[in-house]
Amino acid sequence: MVVFVGVNELLSMVRARGPETFISGLVDYVEHDFRRWTAFDKTPRIASHSDIGVIELMPTSDGKLYGFKFVNGHPINPKTGRLTVTAFGALADVKTGYPMLISEMTLLTALRTAATSAMAARALARPDSRTMGLVGNGSQSEFQAHAFKALLGIDRIAIFDIDPAAMDKFEANMAGSGISIRRAKSAADAADGADIVTTVTADKTNATILRDGDVGPGTHLNAVGGDCPGKTELDAAILENASVFVEYTEQSRIEGEIQQMDKDFAVTELWKVLSGKAKGRTSRDEITVFDSVGFAIEDFSALRYLHDSLSGKRRTLDLIPDLDNPKNLFGLLSIEKATLVA
Amino acid sequence: MVVFVGVNELLSMVRARGPETFISGLVDYVEHDFRRWTAFDKTPRIASHSDIGVIELMPTSDGKLYGFKFVNGHPINPKTGRLTVTAFGALADVKTGYPMLISEMTLLTALRTAATSAMAARALARPDSRTMGLVGNGSQSEFQAHAFKALLGIDRIAIFDIDPAAMDKFEANMAGSGISIRRAKSAADAADGADIVTTVTADKTNATILRDGDVGPGTHLNAVGGDCPGKTELDAAILENASVFVEYTEQSRIEGEIQQMDKDFAVTELWKVLSGKAKGRTSRDEITVFDSVGFAIEDFSALRYLHDSLSGKRRTLDLIPDLDNPKNLFGLLSIEKATLVA
């Protein structure tokens, strides 16, 4: 039987530990996997585009486990009460090819994105960073805030969203979090004086959320929202004057902020910084950018973390036949039904 | 909520209709989709190989629905009581990106493979074909036999497997099917005088199950077992002297019997025959070969058929969050658990 983790189970787990503890544990898994980056099969995600959205598969394997995520991106969905991004995925045993776990990954993707952002910032931001500008206060924003508090001790956040209701929602959700929140008047105002600036907007356009002059010396920019062709958030001039770090160069040149730059624009893969093979920040005044698009290994780490976190009796699915004689698949049809029902 | 069809549900459906009625209905869906072949996004399957097996994702979309299958191939699995091939898959709505159906596909793959084989034979074999040689009597063999009986009226089958227990199993499973069965002494003996020869063996090697001289004039060869790099069943000389039909040329040159041939070896895509854009069999004495490897559109058709066949109350999974405010994903964490449990 294959274990199933639905929305309700995952919510129970995150509530029981608290989001910051859950995310901190997840960071350990993502970082462990980034440090053994070369052990993984890697491929850019396989996308099926339509006029109004995209459906993608994101597989990877470390030779022992295989994981993949199904994820959609439909910016128009909220108009009909649906989520822009939903996801689910599976973990399988490479030795047998059998699936072990099917899980919801809408919530898990928000958690792993926040975990990866904070992991990158811990490696790239100034160690004394305590303030963050947070531009875009949609579905991912609170997860980002909790992750940065948990990993870097961020305790003051300036928020901005073109939709005031999104800022209201953020403030309501973060009440009691111990983070002091300021409502900024613009993206530039949110970035003003911030040690770290996170951009996590949703428009599927080449937007310029921040201009070069908006970002002060020594800032770490956590650029999360630019994550598919034709969807960017940053002024190209910011990238020209910064050190840019990416997950997987081949995919980021298609999907990230660096799709605006020449094909030979210098970037450093984050795993090299985490494993000591490349330098991160080299001075207090340098601007560092994590041009995040989300990569399959992060989902793999999240599924692995989830699988290792399961305890007690779990829900299971009869997804794979269990046969006395594995060469007699047809025989299933002649077995009495009563003996099969789980 | 996403509908879930497990092994038990699918078995109930196939038992209720009988395998031949179920397969005949499935053929209608596969044929409908092959006839609108150009409407589909097509890509060779995305494979992750290990020393002992492979895990693959097979996605496709017609612009309205999106489907994918997860499938493994591990020839060593039966030694530990597991199936060589297991599969599951999903169907999603392209307009919203939301998954609609998650289904077991181990059984469904055997059914769709048999449906596709019989569909091809109905288009390519001599119309008066009534006898079949069936080489390889493993997991797929009974499904093939039922499909050929249902679609072509095949009522005499000569079987051969290097494992006599497989032949025993086939005979036991087919008792009462109305098909008369002869145990052949060799693959060549099974093929001798047969109107149609189906090869569906499992060895992951370049085997020569049949030699050129084993196949008489006018035979239709349904070559199912050669379906991944390094795994073929037929003598190249058979292919040289036959008209060869494939599903998707780009994938078949990698995985099919024609991996043995030059890159410019002439083949015809089956959808062209089914939609009247290419000729099938041109004479009674011609040897036709359907070099089947299995393609994503067949799985898509099977998921579509399954989805359309569902009625009454179905099992559902809480795979996707259902939110009052789709921009407030984090808000899920603060909702009382009791209100969420389905």
Side-chain angles (χ1 to χ4, degrees):
Chain A
M1 299 294 270
V2 178
V3 172
F4 175 67
V5 175
V7 174
N8 295 316
E9 280 96 336
L10 185 58
L11 282 173
S12 298
M13 289 173 69
V14 179
R15 280 196 202 105
R17 296 190 190 186
E20 293 177 21
T21 304
F22 189 93
I23 290 172
S24 295
L26 176 50
V27 167
D28 293 342
Y29 275 69
V30 178
E31 189 155 349
H32 177 79
D33 289 340
F34 268 57
R35 285 185 171 155
R36 60 192 185 101
W37 189 263
T38 55
F40 286 87
D41 260 0
K42 285 172 287 290
T43 177
R45 60 186 107 200
I46 300 104
S48 178
H49 291 276
S50 68
D51 292 345
I52 55 167
V54 63
I55 296 176
E56 300 172 329
L57 296 174
M58 300 170 70
T60 193
S61 169
D62 68 356
K64 288 190 178 164
L65 294 170
Y66 171 95
F68 80 89
K69 180 169 81 172
F70 165 107
V71 58
N72 77 295
H74 286 67
I76 207 174
N77 269 358
K79 291 190 181 165
T80 53
R82 293 183 179 86
L83 287 151
T84 301
V85 173
T86 72
F88 68 94
L91 199 65
D93 181 358
V94 169
K95 204 164 67 182
T96 63
Y98 271 43
M100 303 151 60
L101 168 69
I102 306 280
S103 178
E104 94 81 42
M105 290 188 79
T106 306
L107 190 62
L108 198 59
T109 294
L111 291 159
R112 73 83 159 132
T113 302
T116 305
S117 285
M119 175 186 76
R122 188 168 63 181
L124 298 173
R126 283 180 285 105
D128 56 354
S129 298
R130 292 294 176 272
T131 63
M132 181 157 84
L134 180 51
V135 182
N137 303 149
S139 285
Q140 310 231 7
S141 56
E142 298 91 348
F143 298 93
Q144 292 279 335
H146 278 290
F148 278 80
K149 175 165 179 279
L151 256 74
L152 288 96
I154 293 295
D155 56 12
R156 279 165 293 159
I157 298 186
I159 62 171
F160 179 73
D161 198 292
I162 51 171
D163 177 8
M167 297 167 79
D168 295 344
K169 176 216 65 162
F170 182 90
E171 286 189 301
N173 281 331
M174 297 302 291
S177 67
I179 297 175
S180 113
I181 298 167
R182 172 172 75 86
R183 286 174 80 115
K185 295 181 185 66
S186 65
D189 181 24
D192 188 29
D195 299 321
I196 294 171
V197 178
T198 289
T199 54
V200 58
T201 65
D203 258 357
K204 201 175 174 178
T205 55
N206 288 311
T208 304
I209 308 296
L210 289 174
R211 301 193 175 280
D212 192 25
D214 299 336
V215 181
T219 304
H220 173 69
L221 255 167
N222 173 42
V224 179
D227 62 355
C228 71
K231 183 166 180 284
T232 58
E233 294 179 321
L234 302 182
D235 188 351
I238 294 177
L239 302 172
E240 273 159 22
N241 297 324
S243 296
V244 178
F245 300 83
V246 300
E247 287 137 321
Y248 180 51
T249 308
E250 183 182 347
Q251 179 174 299
S252 299
R253 291 209 191 275
I254 300 168
E255 301 174 358
E257 295 298 329
I258 59 167
Q259 66 186 272
Q260 306 177 66
M261 314 306 281
D262 289 340
K263 287 295 169 209
D264 58 356
F265 178 76
V267 297
T268 304
E269 292 192 340
L270 182 60
W271 71 272
K272 290 186 179 170
V273 178
L274 296 171
S275 55
K277 292 184 197 306
K279 283 184 183 165
R281 168 177 296 275
T282 54
S283 75
R284 277 193 68 80
D285 284 350
E286 186 178 10
I287 294 172
T288 51
V289 175
F290 177 46
D291 180 9
S292 172
V293 298
F295 188 56
I297 292 175
E298 294 150 31
D299 300 310
F300 176 95
S301 307
L303 287 166
R304 200 167 65 75
Y305 176 56
L306 187 61
H307 190 258
D308 288 356
S309 301
L310 298 172
S311 60
K313 193 167 160 56
R314 310 306 316 183
R315 275 167 82 184
T316 57
L317 300 176
D318 58 330
L319 197 65
I320 302 295
D322 187 11
L323 301 175
D324 289 336
N325 173 3
K327 293 189 175 179
N328 191 10
L329 183 61
F330 190 86
L332 278 177
L333 285 166
S334 51
I335 298 171
E336 283 305 311
K337 189 181 175 187
T339 69
L340 275 164
V341 173
Chain B
M1 300 293 271
V2 179
V3 173
F4 175 68
V5 176
V7 174
N8 295 316
E9 279 97 335
L10 185 58
L11 282 173
S12 297
M13 289 173 68
V14 179
R15 280 196 202 105
R17 298 191 190 185
E20 293 178 20
T21 305
F22 189 94
I23 290 171
S24 295
L26 177 49
V27 167
D28 292 341
Y29 275 68
V30 178
E31 189 155 349
H32 177 79
D33 289 339
F34 268 57
R35 285 184 172 156
R36 58 191 187 104
W37 189 263
T38 54
F40 286 87
D41 258 0
K42 288 173 284 291
T43 176
R45 61 186 108 202
I46 300 104
S48 177
H49 292 277
S50 67
D51 291 346
I52 56 169
V54 64
I55 296 177
E56 300 171 330
L57 295 175
M58 300 170 71
T60 192
S61 170
D62 67 356
K64 288 188 178 166
L65 295 170
Y66 171 96
F68 81 89
K69 181 168 80 170
F70 166 108
V71 57
N72 76 296
H74 286 68
I76 206 175
N77 269 358
K79 290 190 181 164
T80 53
R82 293 184 179 86
L83 287 150
T84 300
V85 173
T86 72
F88 68 94
L91 199 64
D93 180 357
V94 169
K95 204 165 65 179
T96 63
Y98 271 42
M100 303 152 60
L101 169 69
I102 306 279
S103 177
E104 94 82 44
M105 291 188 78
T106 306
L107 190 62
L108 197 59
T109 295
L111 291 159
R112 74 84 158 133
T113 301
T116 305
S117 285
M119 174 186 75
R122 188 168 62 181
L124 298 172
R126 284 180 285 103
D128 57 353
S129 297
R130 292 293 175 273
T131 65
M132 180 157 84
L134 180 51
V135 182
N137 303 149
S139 285
Q140 311 232 7
S141 57
E142 298 91 348
F143 297 93
Q144 291 279 335
H146 278 289
F148 278 81
K149 176 166 177 280
L151 256 74
L152 289 96
I154 294 294
D155 56 11
R156 279 164 294 158
I157 298 186
I159 61 172
F160 180 72
D161 197 291
I162 52 172
D163 176 9
M167 298 168 78
D168 295 344
K169 177 216 65 160
F170 182 92
E171 287 189 301
N173 281 332
M174 297 302 292
S177 67
I179 296 174
S180 115
I181 297 166
R182 172 173 74 85
R183 286 176 78 115
K185 295 182 185 67
S186 64
D189 182 24
D192 188 28
D195 300 319
I196 294 171
V197 178
T198 290
T199 54
V200 57
T201 65
D203 257 359
K204 200 176 174 176
T205 54
N206 287 310
T208 305
I209 307 296
L210 290 173
R211 299 192 176 279
D212 191 27
D214 299 336
V215 181
T219 304
H220 172 68
L221 255 166
N222 173 42
V224 179
D227 63 357
C228 70
K231 182 166 182 283
T232 58
E233 294 180 319
L234 301 182
D235 188 349
I238 295 177
L239 302 172
E240 273 158 22
N241 297 324
S243 295
V244 178
F245 300 84
V246 300
E247 288 136 321
Y248 180 52
T249 308
E250 183 182 347
Q251 178 174 299
S252 299
R253 291 210 192 273
I254 300 169
E255 302 173 357
E257 295 298 329
I258 59 167
Q259 66 186 268
Q260 307 175 68
M261 313 307 279
D262 289 339
K263 288 293 167 210
D264 58 355
F265 179 76
V267 297
T268 304
E269 292 192 341
L270 181 60
W271 71 272
K272 291 186 180 171
V273 178
L274 296 172
S275 53
K277 294 184 197 304
K279 281 184 185 166
R281 166 176 298 273
T282 54
S283 76
R284 277 193 68 79
D285 284 351
E286 187 178 11
I287 294 173
T288 51
V289 175
F290 177 45
D291 180 9
S292 172
V293 297
F295 187 56
I297 292 175
E298 294 150 31
D299 300 310
F300 176 95
S301 308
L303 287 167
R304 201 167 64 77
Y305 176 57
L306 188 60
H307 189 258
D308 288 354
S309 301
L310 297 173
S311 59
K313 193 168 160 56
R314 311 307 314 182
R315 276 168 82 184
T316 57
L317 300 175
D318 57 330
L319 198 65
I320 302 295
D322 188 10
L323 300 177
D324 289 334
N325 173 3
K327 293 191 174 177
N328 191 9
L329 183 61
F330 191 85
L332 279 176
L333 285 166
S334 51
I335 299 172
E336 284 303 311
K337 189 181 174 186
T339 68
L340 276 164
V341 173

